[in-house]
Amino acid sequence: MKQPRAWQRMLSGRRLDLLDPTPVDIEIEDIAHGLAFVARWNGQTRGDWPYSVAEHSLLVEEIFARDNPGIAAKWRLAAVLHDAPEYVIGDMISPVKAAVGPGYGALDERLTAAVHRRFGLPAVLPAPIKKSIKAADKVSAWLEAVRIAGFRAMEADKLFGRPAPELVHRLEIRLRPPAEVRTDYVVTVARLLAAC
């Protein structure tokens, strides 16, 4: 019986093996392009453009940096890259991830480790850093849910926890064309890499 194809051809020309990803097959331009075209919330958001995973990742990095003043650039880089595997596996909403089961988590972990190694980060982040990025991710999810995904604040509070007002003050949910978000993502990663 023929083995099913488990690799994805990237626009860079790289061939990423999803079952055994290697750092050498990962390019930031591929990540940025893919994430700029992957819609959060399964596309169920208000506005003329889908709210992309790339845009979400930039917001998470901003929240993480605000919440951790003076933190090293490499951990801010980790925040930007926190959803990087979604450039090839898409952004599954939590109920779908639960239905798919542990196989999804294992795939995500392999891809995350390869992305991290590609950009000079540890394959597995230190627990306090991972926890802090997750906290920023939840703040972003709450903001997105309430401002563009049609959730009532009480509903979002139950799912994500209500963020402190000072964390969400002056944070903006931006809906931009994919090409603009893609460029901003690449520039942000380059700036953080240069500061590492």
Side-chain angles (χ1 to χ4, degrees), residues 23-177:
V24 76
D25 291 322
I26 294 170
E27 297 293 340
I28 194 58
E29 291 80 8
D30 292 332
I31 294 172
H33 182 82
L35 294 183
F37 283 91
V38 173
R40 294 258 305 157
W41 305 96
N42 279 351
Q44 298 300 306
T45 54
R46 296 182 188 100
D48 294 331
W49 299 100
Y51 186 70
S52 73
V53 174
E55 195 75 79
H56 160 78
S57 297
L58 293 169
L59 180 59
V60 168
E61 187 272 331
E62 180 182 351
I63 295 165
F64 176 77
R66 270 190 189 189
D67 203 29
N68 298 280
I71 195 144
K74 72 178 183 177
W75 304 131
R76 290 178 64 181
L77 177 63
V80 173
L81 296 171
H82 81 281
D83 278 339
E86 295 178 9
Y87 85 110
V88 288
I89 59 177
D91 181 29
M92 285 193 211
I93 59 174
S94 295
V96 174
K97 287 178 186 175
V100 169
Y104 177 87
L107 176 61
D108 185 82
E109 287 173 11
R110 283 192 301 271
L111 288 164
T112 297
V115 168
H116 284 175
R117 288 192 311 267
R118 168 64 175 89
F119 297 104
L121 297 168
V124 176
L125 297 178
I129 297 297
K130 187 171 182 173
K131 183 178 179 183
S132 190
I133 291 170
K134 186 63 180 171
D137 192 31
K138 283 187 169 196
V139 171
S140 179
W142 187 92
L143 279 169
E144 295 162 21
V146 170
R147 293 186 184 171
I148 61 171
F151 286 64
R152 292 181 320 277
M154 284 188 347
E155 188 177 23
D157 291 351
K158 287 179 186 171
L159 293 169
F160 311 110
R162 181 177 284 266
E166 62 272 10
L167 277 179
V168 296
H169 182 63
R170 291 181 288 145
L171 286 174
E172 182 183 344
I173 300 289
R174 295 182 287 184
L175 299 168
R176 300 185 287 171

